[in-house]
Amino acid sequence: MSNQVSALKKISSQLNESYRQFLVMANAAPMGMPHQQLDYFVSQALTRHYHVTLHIRQSTDDEPALMTGYLSEGPKDTLLVTNDNQNITQVAHLNQIVFIERDDYR
């Protein structure tokens, strides 16, 4: 009987370890928003004047850069990101945006 219990415990621990390894996403690149969701969030931020943070992809191996402020439309597939004091405006290209988050929900 003790052999059956120990075998069951061993199988259980192996299953638990495999499950933990399955859920661990070490060295996984952050996924971005789907294109339709990103378009929707940008349009909401533009029309409702939300304070947002854009996560911008600089290159393939770097961590995304952050731009924080209010959005306005720029020329041809760009957004202008103006900070709270309205003294700095940055340009963000739509194809470089990984995801967008509303700051008052942090």
Side-chain angles (χ1 to χ4, degrees):
M1 181 73 168
S2 66
N3 287 341
Q4 291 175 345
V5 171
S6 65
L8 186 59
K9 285 183 180 181
K10 185 176 180 181
I11 290 173
S12 176
S13 65
Q14 288 174 348
L15 282 174
N16 284 336
E17 182 60 29
S18 297
Y19 184 71
R20 280 190 209 104
Q21 288 176 357
F22 177 73
L23 293 179
V24 170
M25 299 183 71
N27 299 326
M31 295 178 60
M33 289 178 144
H35 187 66
Q36 292 174 332
Q37 185 182 19
L38 186 63
D39 288 342
Y40 177 74
F41 276 44
V42 167
S43 69
Q44 291 295 307
L46 286 169
T47 58
R48 296 182 181 176
H49 199 65
Y50 290 148
H51 191 268
V52 297
T53 297
L54 301 177
H55 296 255
I56 306 292
R57 182 181 316 116
Q58 295 175 342
S59 67
T60 57
D61 59 344
D62 289 338
E63 199 168 307
L66 301 178
M67 289 186 187
T68 302
Y70 297 97
L71 300 181
S72 57
E73 290 187 44
K76 189 165 173 135
D77 297 332
T78 60
L79 294 171
L80 302 176
V81 184
T82 306
N83 71 347
D84 294 338
N85 301 328
Q86 296 184 349
N87 57 359
I88 296 176
T89 300
Q90 299 170 308
V91 177
H93 295 275
L94 289 175
N95 61 355
Q96 292 180 325
I97 299 173
V98 177
F99 59 93
I100 182 173
E101 63 181 315
R102 191 171 158 188
D103 287 337
D104 56 351
Y105 283 128
R106 281 191 194 184

